Amino acid sequence: MDATTDIRSTPAPAPTPATALAGAADGLPADFLWGVATSSYQIEGAVQEDGRTPSIWDTFCRVPGAVVDGDNGDIACDHYHRMPEDVAMIADLGVDAYRFSVAWPRVQPGGRGPANARGLAFYDRLVDQLLDKGVLPWITLYHWDLPQELEDAGGWPERDTAHRFADYSELVMDALGDRVRHWTTLNEPWCSAMLGYDQGHHAPGRKHFPDAMKAVHHLLLGHGLAAQRLRAAAPQPIQLGITLNMGNSYPASDHPADVDAARRADGLGARIYLDPLVHGRYPADVVADLARRGAELPVQDGDLEAIATPLDLLGVNYYSSHVFSGLPEDGEAAPAADGEPFSRLVKQDLPVTAMGWDIIPRGLTDLLTRLGRDYPGLPLYITENGAAFDDTADADGSVQDDDRTAYFADHIRAVAAARTAGADVRGYFAWSLMDNFEWAFGYDKRFGLVRVDYDTQRRTPKQSALWFRDTIRESRTRQS
Ligand code: FCB
């Protein structure tokens, strides 16, 4: 946490004029990797096909009130049936790489036992088609669709789930490792643990902080065990990483209570993952905070060594940053009783996305330079960055999404600024290739470069997609 950077003094940016959209990638090198990202449950549909069993998201979507409008991923973007057309669309964007996730219950139904050949065959075809079009496949093994049977057996708070994840990972390596060189174990373990087991906003919808902390450790252990198995089983050299969601945590003032609130947020949001992954130990201040709340990280001998299996890269998903205060506002409730010190988010006077998330490109520069400083030697890739806005489509499906284009331009500039400041950032994946199932928000929030008409499944590139394509093209032309 860098208490010296202070977005409170940063004026709210004016809307980006069209001229400012040009040259957003200036300063990024010729070998910078450009990509688009999706995840299995958000786009695939076909939830009962070819032997797939339910994941925790299939179950959660059936809980009344859990997802906006009672939406679910049964059909989603029907990508399972439209994959060749979608791969052609990806190639048309001119990206280098496509980040997608493998659905665990599709390739290992129930989360144990042998691979399901029919489920694997889908990813086998996907990888071949990507390679055929010159697009690098970038696999995420776990983007939140835990087989329901494993949740029934205790889920991520249960240690055995980490072993199950390692087994599953090896099955995927055995099938695709001859052609895939980029492997990510987990997407955003913070979301799996905190939204899934503490706050209950995501599947499986549990609300128990000590269990969430067990989930943190077992997710990290699962990552570490899988990393070992993937390296051992890989038939060719691989690039191995994990993706974390992070923002910068700023204190609202220099008051010790505010500084401490930002420290705690950074501890539970970033360092509890980064320190064991990179340094092989949990941060002592976080462990002490947890003890005060009656929670612990159930570490056994050898766990931290496994978790610290060397990484080739770190994936960073960035959407926003936050300002924290440890001081109640007038009339606000006193500190919580369960040992958790009082903390509140201080809303900034900044433009927001349709998610209500503050738009803070500067936070991305601060985050990347801080990661470069505190965790040196680890190449960084932005594996997700993007924004939901309330798109209005013309009759032909086109969308003039200047707001989204400006968001991308400003954040790509923020990446270039971080590189100038010394951060080793090597790539950028836009979230998302196309509109899709946005978890608890269902189909209400649209993050796509490409619009999806859910009645017809027609795909139409938005203005932002054309801008992204041209920006990549120009950046290559300039440098060649
Ligand atoms: C991230 C998720 C991704 C998507 C974006 C908006 O937390 O990894 O699936 O939902 O947020």
Side-chain angles (χ1 to χ4, degrees):
M1 236 291 310
D2 183 353
T4 58
T5 43
D6 185 354
I7 56 165
R8 290 167 297 143
S9 56
T10 310
T16 310
T19 47
L21 301 179
D26 283 0
L28 294 173
D31 61 354
F32 193 77
L33 188 94
W34 296 98
V36 286
T38 64
S39 87
S40 47
Y41 190 71
Q42 293 181 277
I43 65 166
E44 286 179 358
V47 292
Q48 294 185 5
E49 261 169 77
D50 294 333
R52 181 187 181 279
T53 52
S55 76
I56 53 176
W57 272 95
D58 297 274
T59 308
F60 188 65
C61 288
R62 263 73 197 171
V63 175
V67 176
V68 169
D69 293 335
D71 287 341
N72 59 56
D74 285 6
I75 299 172
C77 304
D78 197 31
H79 171 72
Y80 196 74
H81 300 119
R82 294 165 193 269
M83 183 268 284
E85 157 194 352
D86 289 340
V87 170
M89 191 166 79
I90 294 165
D92 284 347
L93 288 173
V95 293
D96 302 299
Y98 173 50
R99 173 178 181 254
F100 62 94
S101 77
V102 174
W104 187 346
R106 216 181 267 297
V107 309
Q108 191 190 36
R112 305 169 193 275
N116 170 31
R118 286 183 299 160
L120 271 175
F122 171 74
Y123 299 104
D124 199 71
R125 292 195 303 275
L126 170 59
V127 164
D128 282 347
Q129 301 213 10
L130 287 167
L131 291 172
D132 192 49
K133 298 233 178 258
V135 178
L136 201 65
W138 186 295
I139 283 189
T140 300
L141 286 161
Y142 184 72
H143 200 126
W144 307 352
D145 35 10
L146 184 72
Q148 180 60 41
E149 288 83 348
L150 296 186
E151 174 57 26
D152 295 342
W156 286 109
E158 189 61 47
R159 187 177 173 89
D160 184 59
T161 305
H163 292 282
R164 302 283 65 75
F165 178 66
D167 285 356
Y168 149 71
S169 298
E170 191 171 342
L171 293 180
V172 184
M173 175 60 78
D174 287 346
L176 305 177
D178 58 335
R179 284 153 292 156
V180 177
R181 285 188 289 117
H182 290 84
W183 294 81
T184 302
T185 53
L186 307 176
N187 176 71
E188 303 189 353
W190 180 90
C191 290
S192 297
M194 298 304 288
L195 298 180
Y197 292 94
D198 177 47
Q199 300 174 19
H201 297 315
H202 278 188
R206 285 159 62 176
K207 295 184 186 173
H208 190 263
F209 182 72
D211 277 356
M213 293 304 104
K214 289 183 190 161
V216 166
H217 182 65
H218 296 140
L219 282 153
L220 285 168
L221 179 62
H223 156 82
L225 297 172
Q228 293 174 333
R229 300 269 287 275
L230 290 167
R231 286 225 192 270
Q236 59 172 330
I238 56 168
Q239 290 285 300
L240 182 68
I242 184 171
T243 275
L244 305 178
N245 57 304
M246 287 177 284
N248 225 52
S249 302
Y250 300 94
S253 78
D254 296 336
H255 190 290
D258 289 350
V259 172
D260 199 56
R263 175 194 64 76
R264 290 195 308 276
D266 183 63
L268 268 190
R271 287 182 294 118
I272 196 172
Y273 303 99
L274 288 165
D275 283 18
L277 286 166
V278 179
H279 301 316
R281 56 170 187 272
Y282 282 112
D285 63 314
V286 175
V287 172
D289 288 347
L290 296 187
R292 274 192 289 279
R293 298 179 66 180
E296 63 179 7
L297 298 154
V299 180
Q300 296 187 11
D301 282 353
D303 287 3
L304 287 163
E305 287 74 13
I307 293 170
T309 301
L311 295 169
D312 299 306
L313 59 95
L314 176 68
V316 175
N317 290 358
Y318 179 85
Y319 290 94
S320 189
S321 285
H322 299 103
V323 177
F324 292 91
S325 173
L327 300 170
E329 283 185 305
D330 284 350
E332 220 172 347
D338 78 337
E340 182 190 6
F342 178 86
S343 175
R344 68 186 164 91
L345 273 179
V346 182
K347 196 77 190 97
Q348 301 300 294
D349 185 20
L350 291 170
V352 295
T353 69
M355 301 294 282
W357 297 344
D358 288 338
I359 301 176
I360 312 181
R362 155 87 185 278
L364 179 55
T365 308
D366 289 345
L367 172 68
L368 294 170
T369 45
R370 173 269 176 108
L371 291 173
R373 190 183 58 229
D374 292 353
Y375 305 94
L378 197 51
L380 306 171
Y381 287 81
I382 308 301
T383 38
E384 284 182 28
N385 175 240
F389 287 106
D390 294 326
D391 296 335
T392 315
D394 293 342
D396 65 356
S398 61
V399 178
Q400 187 67 39
D401 55 342
D402 298 335
D403 38 17
R404 185 175 291 102
T405 308
Y407 183 100
F408 282 126
D410 291 345
H411 285 79
I412 290 169
R413 271 187 228 290
V415 172
R419 275 187 63 95
T420 306
D424 184 11
V425 198
R426 301 190 184 179
Y428 176 97
F429 290 79
W431 183 271
S432 176
L433 165 66
M434 57 184 156
D435 295 336
N436 56 50
F437 174 77
E438 179 46 36
W439 308 113
F441 294 91
Y443 298 99
D444 198 44
K445 302 293 180 215
R446 292 176 177 268
F447 275 88
L449 287 165
V450 173
R451 179 173 178 85
V452 176
D453 177 332
Y454 293 112
D455 293 331
T456 61
Q457 289 294 347
R458 186 162 153 222
R459 279 89 156 118
T460 312
K462 301 177 193 175
Q463 191 56 36
S464 56
L466 306 179
W467 175 87
F468 192 57
R469 178 199 64 192
D470 292 349
T471 298
I472 297 170
R473 192 184 287 159
E474 276 162 26
S475 121
R476 290 206 187 104
T477 319
R478 203 184 49 242
Q479 282 147 356
S480 60

